């Protein structure tokens, strides 16, 4: 390590270079991840509080890197978005989700996460149509989760593609609700089926009265709009009880279930109560 002030600057530059190099290396590896069978989905359940049954799962992408181990999506999704690889990844996620849907009961849905960049690719519509047809799965069992930041991004075709998805019979959920700047505006513009209250609100609602007020209001808003509402990041029984009392429809979080493999899900569904 160098001691002088210029040396310090040098040190930071070197470390920036290293991380840029690291990103490039990861990007190169990611290019082969699909064919190398290193990507997989895990599934985290949605629990309908009133019915006491699992209504579906959110598909979350994982990358088992051959030497670096498990890489979280928060690391590789941004790299995929920057490089354009997200288009391939996103199509793979859709096809995989449809295959799983074909194995699971008809009243179970899967929600997949979408990146803003994917709205640049109108071809995604045909991919979805084909994947659903190949798996012989009803479109209303596939849900697309988008964040409001996607709608204010530079991708002008986002609303057009969203409307096309809705016309195909898919449902669309507004993810991380409350963390953006214009949530209410977008609720007016697009026929969302569901809003997902961001986990930061759920985490603090029992210790911060303001936070509880927001959660309650969002649940009330969803009811007025006649759309579903999911609380994300439910970790404690007290949080679940509060959400039950405030008439939240569905909950998701470590208390109900961690993201699981496809085979674990099949076992779980064998014990799922009927409607
Ligand atoms: P997200 O869509 O908001 O997903 C929720 C994240 O919270 C997941 O992290 C999930 O594992 C985690 N989580 C669930 N329950 C709890 C809980 O009770 N407590 C806490 N602390 N965390 C909980 P994960 O799987 O690491 O995913 C991170 C983000 O990566 C996702 O945030 C989503 O934006 C993105 N992502 C994941 N899969 C995909 C994908 O297939 N495509 C795209 N475009 N993005 C994806
Ligand atoms: Ca999500
Ligand atoms: Ca979320
Ligand atoms: Ca998030």
């Amino acid at each position: 390590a160098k001691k002088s002030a210029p040396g310090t600057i040098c040190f930071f530059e070197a470390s920036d270079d290293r991380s840029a190099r690291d990103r490039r290396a990861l990007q190169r590896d990611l290019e082969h991840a699909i064919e190398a069978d290193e990507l997989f989905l895990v599934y985290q359940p949605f629990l309908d509080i009133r019915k006491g049954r699992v209504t579906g799962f959110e598909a979350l992408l994982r990358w088992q890197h051959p030497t670096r181990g498990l890489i979280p999506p928060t690391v590789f999704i941004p790299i995929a978005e920057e490089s354009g690889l997200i288009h391939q990844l996103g199509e793979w996620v859709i096809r995989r989700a449809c295959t799983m849907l074909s194995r699971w009961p008809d009243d179970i849905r899967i929600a997949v996460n979408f990146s803003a960049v994917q709205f640049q690719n109108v071809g995604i519509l045909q991919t979805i149509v084909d994947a659903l047809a190949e798996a012989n799965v009803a479109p209303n069992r596939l849900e697309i989760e988008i964040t409001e930041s996607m709608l204010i991004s530079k991708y002008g075709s986002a609303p057009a593609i969203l409307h096309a998805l809705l016309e195909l019979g898919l449902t669309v959920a507004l993810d991380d609700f409350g963390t953006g700047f214009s949530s209410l505006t977008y609720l007016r513009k697009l026929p969302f089926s569901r809003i997902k209250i961001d986990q930061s609100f759920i985490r603090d609602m029992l210790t911060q009265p303001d936070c509880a007020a927001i959660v309650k209001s969002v649940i009330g808003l969803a009811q007025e709009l006649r759309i579903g509402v999911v609380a994300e990041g439910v970790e404690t029984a007290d949080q679940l009880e509060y959400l039950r009392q405030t008439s939240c429809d569905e909950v998701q979080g470590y208390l109900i279930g961690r993201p699981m493999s496809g085979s674990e899900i099949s076992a779980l569904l064998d014990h799922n109560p009927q409607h």
Side-chain angles (χ1 to χ4, degrees):
K2 290 170 190 166
K3 290 166 208 155
S4 60
T8 309
I9 291 163
C10 236
F11 175 79
F12 280 115
E13 279 174 359
S15 102
D16 280 348
D17 280 356
R18 198 166 49 227
S19 84
R21 216 168 35 233
D22 208 47
R23 281 172 79 91
R24 279 196 300 277
L26 272 183
Q27 182 185 321
R28 268 197 311 275
D29 295 346
L30 192 55
E31 281 166 21
H32 308 288
I34 293 182
E35 44 186 291
D37 215 17
E38 292 162 8
L39 293 175
F40 61 101
L41 290 176
V42 287
Y43 306 88
Q44 189 178 29
F46 299 112
L47 179 81
D48 182 307
I49 304 184
R50 281 177 216 93
K51 294 177 181 158
R53 65 191 296 277
V54 171
T55 48
F57 300 88
E58 178 175 1
L60 295 158
L61 195 53
R62 298 289 182 264
W63 180 15
Q64 184 67 53
H65 189 283
T67 56
R68 296 175 194 238
L70 195 62
I71 302 181
T74 45
V75 170
F76 70 83
I77 294 284
I79 294 174
E81 288 173 342
E82 251 171 55
S83 59
L85 284 168
I86 192 70
H87 297 298
Q88 270 173 276
L89 257 57
E91 294 188 356
W92 182 86
V93 168
I94 298 269
R95 281 196 296 269
R96 187 80 197 133
C98 287
T99 302
M100 296 316 279
L101 279 171
S102 72
R103 298 177 189 170
W104 295 345
D106 285 346
D107 55 2
I108 295 293
R109 73 177 190 275
I110 292 185
V112 299
N113 291 284
F114 246 52
S115 293
V117 195
Q118 289 181 264
F119 285 124
Q120 281 179 313
N121 169 23
V122 182
I124 190 72
L125 285 173
Q126 196 57 48
T127 301
I128 291 174
V129 171
D130 293 346
L132 287 167
E134 253 166 62
N136 193 23
V137 162
N140 65 359
R141 297 180 61 201
L142 187 59
E143 186 156 276
I144 305 293
E145 292 194 3
I146 62 162
T147 59
E148 56 205 357
S149 58
M150 293 174 56
L151 300 171
I152 44 179
S153 72
K154 51 188 179 281
Y155 308 107
S157 54
I161 290 193
L162 276 179
H163 280 292
L165 291 173
L166 291 162
E167 238 151 77
L168 286 174
L170 277 77
T171 58
V172 180
L174 189 51
D175 200 1
D176 300 350
F177 188 80
T179 56
F181 291 105
S182 39
S183 322
L184 296 175
T185 304
Y186 288 106
L187 277 184
R188 261 185 68 188
K189 285 187 183 160
L190 286 161
F192 291 100
S193 315
R194 218 179 304 280
I195 50 187
K196 299 186 73 180
I197 307 175
D198 190 68
Q199 51 191 43
S200 58
F201 295 99
I202 307 306
R203 189 188 55 223
D204 296 333
M205 71 184 176
L206 296 182
T207 50
Q208 297 176 14
D210 289 355
C211 212
I214 293 172
V215 170
K216 253 197 261 180
S217 308
V218 172
I219 293 169
L221 175 68
Q223 285 167 345
E224 292 287 323
L225 294 172
R226 296 173 200 288
I227 60 179
V229 57
V230 185
E232 295 193 278
V234 176
E235 294 184 352
T236 71
D238 287 346
Q239 289 169 341
L240 176 60
E241 188 45 38
Y242 183 83
L243 291 161
R244 187 194 308 279
Q245 280 164 20
T246 46
S247 304
C248 189
D249 298 321
E250 293 182 330
V251 282
Q252 191 183 20
Y254 295 161
L255 178 73
I256 290 89
R258 299 218 165 222
M260 294 172 251
S261 71
S263 49
E264 288 173 290
I265 296 298
S266 298
L268 182 150
L269 287 176
D270 286 341
H271 301 284
N272 202 31
Q274 300 299 305
H275 308 263

